[in-house]
Amino acid sequence: MKTTFTLLTLSENFPDEESCIKYFEKMRWDGKVVSPYDPTSKVYKCSNGKYKCKNTGRYFDVKTGTAFANTKIPMRAWFYTMMLFLSHKRGVSSCQLARDLGITQKTAWNMLHKIRQYMEMENNQTLSGEVEIDEAFVGGKNKNRHKDKKVERCQGRAYKDKVPVFGILERGGKVIAKVVPNIYGATLLSIVNEYVTEGSVVYTDGAGYPGINIDYEQRDVDHSKHFYGTTYATDEGEIIVVSTNGIENVWSHFKRMIFGIYYHVSKKYMQRYIDEYIFRFNTRNFSDSQRFNLLLRNVA
């Protein structure tokens, strides 16, 4: 079976349920079956794709312990959902997926959220070199709300009705983003310390990050004074670009994904949608089949 495929050729590569299960077994075990109950145990192959763990006496299959377990949804439907989900640049809504698969919207919503939880692995990278940091506030605009639902003094950096998100972009590399409880300097700096290698150059928008210059070299652009960046050369000939346009671009595309496909996202599930976007961004140079295989390995 070819490991490179598209949404159009998916049915040719996986014509039946058995082919999907065999492909997932290859991803998970690569020819050596391991018991999810006792990795050191000997495993017996049984009928109907089942296996038995000798040490515990429990039966399992390749779906045990994954998003595909304890569900009546066939593996072909899961594969189609994942490929459809990844091949669309900004995702697919649960309503659209429900129509495509002939299932309920609730089932489609649950399937998509099960998939999103395995995208989180791409949102835990260690960044270094030159990085840009910035926070964003995700939520509707007051001017678009009905007068009964307007919230006073909620625009700008206020987040009474919005979700604050903090992001870090490695220039030319990957990005991470996390929902944060507040935008205090100490809160954001703790995330920088966790994900950015000491000694890196950190570009900020002028917001205060007390102590950031202890472990990092900080360079600012003060947006409050309408200063958005500059480029200059050092005596050694190094070109320095002082701006946070890269991370601002990340927020722009993320908000377009939300407003264009999902319309409304609750605070409870915001991190899941952020993980989805970060997965797409960090694999932006992957083909659809490479993304599919990466996500399937995460599930496995």
Side-chain angles (χ1 to χ4, degrees):
M1 180 189 301
K2 294 182 179 179
T3 56
T4 301
F5 42 84
T6 64
L7 184 61
L8 184 63
T9 62
L10 193 66
S11 60
E12 299 174 8
N13 286 275
F14 303 105
D16 50 35
E17 191 73 3
E18 184 180 359
S19 61
C20 296
I21 291 175
K22 286 184 178 179
Y23 193 73
F24 191 46
E25 285 185 343
K26 180 183 177 182
M27 285 289 184
R28 185 169 188 181
W29 294 321
D30 196 20
K32 185 179 180 181
V33 181
V34 178
S35 169
Y37 305 116
D38 186 353
T40 63
S41 174
K42 185 175 181 180
V43 174
Y44 299 108
K45 184 174 177 59
C46 306
S47 59
N48 298 324
K50 295 285 187 178
Y51 299 90
K52 183 178 181 180
C53 175
K54 179 181 178 182
N55 290 355
T56 63
R58 301 175 69 179
Y59 291 89
F60 64 93
D61 59 24
V62 69
K63 296 184 286 185
T64 302
T66 72
F68 306 143
N70 303 318
T71 175
K72 296 181 180 179
I73 304 295
M75 287 287 285
R76 286 192 73 198
W78 280 107
F79 276 32
Y80 176 82
T81 298
M82 291 170 61
M83 196 64 183
L84 180 69
F85 189 46
L86 295 172
S87 62
H88 283 65
K89 187 174 182 179
R90 291 179 181 166
V92 61
S93 70
S94 58
C95 294
Q96 181 63 55
L97 181 63
R99 288 192 291 268
D100 290 342
L101 296 184
I103 57 179
T104 65
Q105 184 272 335
K106 183 178 180 180
T107 299
W109 188 90
N110 284 324
M111 290 178 71
L112 291 175
H113 272 285
K114 282 180 178 291
I115 292 172
R116 287 188 184 101
Q117 69 180 325
Y118 294 100
M119 293 178 159
E120 180 188 3
M121 298 178 186
E122 276 297 316
N123 199 11
N124 288 287
Q125 307 287 333
T126 299
L127 310 178
S128 61
E130 292 184 308
V131 301
E132 300 176 14
I133 64 176
D134 189 35
E135 62 275 1
F137 303 89
V138 185
K141 294 183 178 180
N142 232 12
K143 66 180 182 180
N144 296 331
R145 296 189 176 106
H146 188 274
K147 62 180 181 180
D148 294 337
K149 297 182 179 179
K150 291 185 183 295
V151 180
E152 292 184 1
R153 292 187 292 276
C154 70
Q155 297 302 98
R157 295 174 65 85
Y159 49 90
K160 292 187 291 184
D161 64 329
K162 296 184 180 182
V163 180
V165 184
F166 182 63
I168 308 174
L169 169 71
E170 179 183 303
R171 288 186 174 177
K174 297 187 175 183
V175 66
I176 65 164
K178 304 291 180 180
V179 171
V180 290
N182 55 66
I183 56 169
Y184 299 143
T187 301
L188 304 185
L189 183 58
S190 67
I191 299 176
V192 175
N193 290 334
E194 181 177 356
Y195 292 101
V196 180
T197 303
E198 185 176 331
S200 300
V201 179
V202 179
Y203 295 90
T204 73
D205 61 359
Y209 300 95
I212 194 172
N213 55 358
I214 297 176
D215 298 320
Y216 308 99
E217 180 182 346
Q218 184 183 14
R219 296 171 182 169
D220 291 339
V221 285
D222 196 343
H223 288 178
S224 64
K225 296 181 180 178
H226 303 287
F227 176 62
Y228 299 101
T230 185
T231 302
Y232 64 90
T234 65
D235 294 337
E236 291 77 23
E238 181 184 3
I239 304 299
I240 304 295
V241 180
V242 183
S243 78
T244 57
N245 292 341
I247 189 66
E248 296 282 356
N249 181 61
V250 168
W251 297 138
S252 175
H253 283 280
F254 171 66
K255 291 180 179 180
R256 288 177 189 175
M257 182 190 83
I258 296 297
F259 301 152
I261 302 297
Y262 302 119
Y263 303 108
H264 170 76
V265 175
S266 69
K267 294 181 179 181
K268 180 179 180 181
Y269 297 106
M270 181 62 71
Q271 186 63 58
R272 290 277 180 88
Y273 289 92
I274 290 172
D275 292 338
E276 174 193 339
Y277 173 76
I278 296 303
F279 183 92
R280 295 180 188 281
F281 184 93
N282 288 347
T283 60
R284 59 194 180 278
N285 296 322
F286 285 33
S287 66
D288 289 341
S289 60
Q290 288 175 322
R291 277 180 170 175
F292 177 86
N293 287 329
L294 174 60
L295 182 57
L296 197 61
R297 279 194 293 270
N298 289 351
V299 176

